[in-house]
């Protein structure tokens, strides 16, 4: 995946202690199992389908998320009456937001009524995943979605350039706007935009952030090294003496691929 996505993951992890949904708007549910390819998240199966029982914890207290990259994003209220609606794509008389970026990878995330839910029996799930791994029934690239943060209305916009820009029509008139996002109507939509790497605008609840887990097996790393450096096999084993174990994904580099 791109360096832009790596930057986004690091910033999101640092700010929210969770990871961004990529591409924005991708469907991710608690207990999903899938992989990441060049296009982002691809669901393969679920814990239920694999016969691994899990118990969702009670959702947390709803809260609002309002974040813009401090060094690369600026958000301001916009009224269609302030200028030609054909420029912003915001319906005449509606309230909206104008988002301007000054670097690639900068992002804006706004959402109301966000609740966090995770697996209550995580230790048991980890043990069962390792049992499947030992039986050859857990694929190398699989990632488990172990926690989700869901909310809405929601806006996620990620810049792909140093001059990205987007207008968001909140779907309500300026007079009814009040707190802009909280009052957003069913007609909330992205208007004119340029230079974006990804975006998602929804009037309903959606998954915004997540946490995930994968199997880390030192043998995979040593096997790759032996394949690449066959003349040094005796130097590659053992790698670190560790047995396969389940770890939480913190950054993009932690996502298992064919070469790690």
């Amino acid at each position: 995946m791109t360096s832009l996505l790596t930057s986004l993951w690091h910033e999101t992890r640092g700010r929210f202690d969770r990871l961004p949904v990529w591409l924005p708007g991708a469907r991710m549910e608690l207990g999903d199992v899938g992989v990441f390819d060049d296009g982002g998240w691809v669901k393969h199966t679920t814990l239920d389908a694999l016969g691994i029982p899990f118990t969702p914890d009670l959702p947390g207290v709803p809260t609002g998320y309002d974040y813009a990259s401090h060094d690369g994003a600026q958000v301001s209220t916009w009224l269609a009456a302030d200028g030609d609606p054909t420029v912003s794509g915001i319906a005449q008389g509606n309230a909206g937001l104008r988002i301007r970026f000054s670097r690639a990878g900068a992002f804006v995330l706004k959402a109301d009524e966000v609740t966090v839910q995770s697996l209550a029996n995580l230790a048991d799930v980890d043990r069962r995943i390792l049992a499947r791994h030992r039986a050859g029934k857990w694929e190398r690239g699989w990632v488990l979605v172990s926690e989700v943060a869901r909310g809405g209305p929601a806006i996620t916009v990620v810049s792909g350039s140093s001059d990205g820009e987007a207008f968001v029509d909140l779907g309500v008139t300026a007079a009814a706007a009040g707190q802009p996002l909280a009052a957003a109507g069913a007609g909330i939509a992205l208007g004119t935009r340029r230079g974006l790497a990804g975006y998602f605008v929804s009037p309903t609840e959606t998954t915004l952030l997540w946490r995930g887990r994968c199997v880390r097996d030192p043998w995979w790393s040593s096997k790759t090294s032996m394949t690449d450096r066959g003349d040094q096999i005796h130097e590659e084993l053992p790698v670190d003496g560790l047995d396969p174990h389940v770890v939480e994904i913190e950054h993009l580099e932690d996502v298992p691929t064919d070469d790690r």
Side-chain angles (χ1 to χ4, degrees):
M1 295 186 191
T2 65
S3 59
L4 180 149
L5 183 52
T6 300
S7 174
L8 173 65
W9 274 47
H10 278 272
E11 183 175 350
T12 306
R13 176 77 186 186
R15 175 63 180 82
F16 295 100
D17 199 27
R18 293 176 179 86
L19 302 170
V21 173
W22 192 265
L23 290 169
R27 186 179 180 89
M28 297 183 77
E29 304 288 346
L30 194 67
D32 281 355
V33 177
V35 300
F36 283 87
D37 61 19
D38 290 339
W41 171 251
V42 179
K43 176 181 172 180
H44 277 197
T45 185
T46 66
L47 290 180
D48 278 338
L50 293 172
I52 299 178
F54 70 96
T55 304
D57 206 348
L58 293 175
V61 177
T63 188
Y65 284 6
D66 189 353
Y67 180 77
S69 298
H70 71 279
D71 62 341
Q74 180 182 12
V75 182
S76 57
T77 302
W78 179 271
L79 302 179
D82 290 342
D84 185 348
T86 60
V87 174
S88 65
I90 297 176
Q92 184 68 42
N94 274 7
L97 301 174
R98 183 181 189 181
I99 304 172
R100 288 182 286 187
F101 295 103
S102 58
R103 68 170 172 85
F107 73 99
V108 169
L109 171 59
K110 292 179 175 288
D112 284 338
E113 297 295 307
V114 180
T115 57
V116 176
Q117 190 172 34
S118 57
L119 299 180
N121 61 327
L122 191 58
D124 183 58
V125 169
D126 284 352
R127 285 193 293 270
R128 291 174 183 270
I129 287 175
L130 286 175
R132 290 190 66 88
H133 168 72
R134 288 191 294 270
K137 297 180 179 180
W138 185 269
E139 294 187 15
R140 179 171 181 174
W142 276 0
V143 171
L144 164 66
V145 179
S146 59
E147 181 181 286
V148 291
R150 296 177 56 85
I155 300 168
T156 303
V157 184
V158 184
S159 179
S161 68
S162 60
D163 61 350
E165 183 176 47
F167 291 87
V168 180
D169 189 331
L170 294 176
V172 293
T173 64
Q179 293 293 321
L181 193 56
I188 184 173
L190 202 66
T192 305
R193 67 268 191 184
R194 60 183 172 85
L196 303 184
Y199 60 85
F200 182 72
V201 178
S202 174
T204 58
E205 183 182 83
T206 187
T207 301
L208 303 162
L209 302 169
W210 66 288
R211 281 179 173 166
R213 302 176 75 75
C214 66
V215 173
R216 181 167 294 165
D217 188 340
W219 169 248
W220 286 338
S221 297
S222 65
K223 188 175 182 181
T224 299
S225 297
M226 287 188 292
T227 299
D228 293 341
R229 301 167 61 190
D231 60 329
Q232 299 183 30
I233 292 178
H234 62 285
E235 296 183 12
E236 301 295 344
L237 291 176
V239 177
D240 51 17
L242 291 178
D243 292 327
H245 52 292
V246 178
V247 297
E248 181 173 350
I249 294 172
E250 296 186 3
H251 300 294
L252 193 59
E253 297 88 342
D254 298 330
V255 176
T257 63
D258 287 341
D259 55 0
R260 68 169 182 273

